[in-house]
Amino acid sequence: MKYKIKKIFRSRFLFVIRKEEDFAVLNSFSVTATKILLLGILFLIISFGISLILAKTFLKSWFDPAFSSAESTELFINLSDRVDSLALEVVKKDAYIQNIQRIIGGGEIEDEMAQAFSDTAGFEIGMAKPELERFQPSQGSQSIIQEMSGLSLEGNVQSRSPSTLMSSTYFFTPIKGIVLAIFDPQQNHFGVDVVAKENEAVKSILDGTVIFSSWTLETGYVLAIQHSNELISIYKHNSVILKYVGDVVRSGEIISIIGNTGELSSGPHLHFELWYQGSPLNPQEFISFD
């Protein structure tokens, strides 16, 4: 047996390369079994080395379990951080919406709630386009809490002349119709009631960002939009709301449908209010509803 193994390793093999046409010899060489074995071992070593290098560099994500585990851990940590941030923003947004709902619904606001409004109002709702101001309440805007909470308006409700601020501002008519109830702050009526056709579309008066879009018991479906220069427009008693908090709207864009919702509504109409720096304005001084 030992002799046969030695004989195999000492055997020589001749490799001849010929032309296919005439079988003429182009080249030939002879090798022993030992050389073939050594070449095979060398090939295996080189292949293993190249595979090891690739597994540690270019193909690391495919072959290295530690890499996949580390990548998954990093992704999990990033997602956890994002979830925590989103949860915090949701809490801020919910508190902000509750405060706005109390304001528009005319409910009583305690000192703690007023402080909460001040803390949460700085939360930017949505990512408005750069050319539009996001809702950044100043001291004037925050006074809307007292104005719309049913507190006394004496000495605070003033007629604002268009020449002082909005003489160059063009207001889009929210809806065409007949004004049945005019602006009368002494009777706690801080806007106008406009009667129009059934299912008539309500439009935004200016570019802005929606800061309130919800249901209240007294005024039904309500929409409030923050415009530039601390101006807020409010649309009440809608049947359908088409925009939501954080949405950026353009002047003349449809935002809701006229309706008859809420306990204070006695028929299909739009109750429209205009507030500037916490004080109500007479919409008919700036907008023609005819």
Side-chain angles (χ1 to χ4, degrees):
M1 183 67 180
K2 185 177 180 181
Y3 174 76
K4 290 182 178 181
I5 295 175
K6 288 183 178 180
K7 185 178 181 180
I8 292 174
F9 278 100
R10 291 175 180 176
S11 299
R12 301 182 66 88
F13 301 92
L14 180 64
F15 291 89
V16 179
I17 302 176
R18 298 176 181 271
K19 287 185 178 181
E20 185 178 1
E21 294 82 3
D22 54 5
F23 296 99
V25 177
L26 295 177
N27 197 359
S28 64
F29 57 91
S30 63
V31 293
T32 62
T34 303
K35 289 184 178 180
I36 295 176
L37 180 61
L38 292 175
L39 289 175
I41 294 174
L42 180 62
F43 175 78
L44 290 176
I45 294 174
I46 294 175
S47 299
F48 177 78
I50 293 176
S51 300
L52 184 62
I53 294 174
L54 292 176
K56 293 296 183 180
T57 54
F58 301 105
L59 303 180
K60 185 177 181 180
S61 59
W62 290 6
F63 298 101
D64 190 354
F67 176 84
S68 179
S69 177
E71 190 177 45
S72 299
T73 302
E74 182 180 0
L75 179 61
F76 177 77
I77 293 174
N78 292 335
L79 290 176
S80 298
D81 292 340
R82 292 183 63 182
V83 169
D84 291 341
S85 299
L86 290 174
L88 179 60
E89 298 301 333
V90 168
V91 171
K92 291 182 179 180
K93 180 179 177 181
D94 289 343
Y96 177 80
I97 291 176
Q98 290 175 6
N99 294 330
I100 290 292
Q101 190 168 4
R102 283 177 175 266
I103 294 170
I104 295 179
E108 293 293 333
I109 298 180
E110 301 176 355
D111 293 339
E112 293 83 358
M113 186 61 68
Q115 181 62 38
F117 178 84
S118 177
D119 294 339
T120 60
F123 170 65
E124 295 183 1
I125 302 178
M127 296 301 293
K129 294 185 178 179
E131 66 271 14
L132 298 178
E133 284 192 11
R134 299 176 186 163
F135 182 58
Q136 296 286 351
S138 66
Q139 183 177 359
S141 292
Q142 292 177 7
S143 66
I144 194 173
I145 299 175
Q146 297 179 347
E147 300 293 347
M148 300 183 71
S149 297
L151 302 179
S152 175
L153 296 175
E154 294 181 2
N156 200 16
V157 177
Q158 302 177 359
S159 297
R160 309 272 176 163
S161 174
S163 60
T164 60
L165 172 69
M166 294 174 282
S167 58
S168 61
T169 302
Y170 173 76
F171 292 90
F172 199 94
T173 303
I175 197 169
K176 291 286 186 180
I178 301 174
V179 178
L180 291 186
I182 63 173
F183 175 76
D184 188 1
Q186 301 304 323
Q187 299 297 324
N188 291 327
H189 194 257
F190 304 112
V192 295
D193 293 341
V194 183
V195 177
K197 297 179 182 179
E198 185 178 2
N199 296 327
E200 188 76 8
V202 179
K203 304 175 181 66
S204 174
I205 62 169
L206 290 171
D207 295 346
T209 302
V210 177
I211 60 173
F212 184 84
S213 176
S214 186
W215 164 274
T216 65
L217 183 61
E218 295 182 345
T219 56
Y221 287 109
V222 181
L223 198 73
I225 300 176
Q226 170 78 55
H227 309 288
S228 59
N229 297 321
E230 300 182 61
L231 188 68
I232 297 177
S233 60
I234 302 176
Y235 313 77
K236 299 181 178 181
H237 304 301
N238 300 281
S239 61
V240 178
I241 291 179
L242 303 177
K243 298 296 180 180
Y244 302 95
V245 174
D247 288 348
V248 177
V249 298
R250 296 290 186 179
S251 176
E253 184 176 352
I254 297 175
I255 57 175
S256 64
I257 303 297
I258 192 174
N260 182 30
T261 57
E263 293 181 349
L264 298 181
S265 179
S266 58
H269 73 286
L270 171 68
H271 177 86
F272 174 75
E273 297 180 8
L274 198 60
W275 292 76
Y276 172 63
Q277 291 187 347
S279 297
L281 303 179
N282 184 0
Q284 288 186 287
E285 293 184 3
F286 312 101
I287 301 172
S288 175
F289 297 92
D290 300 331

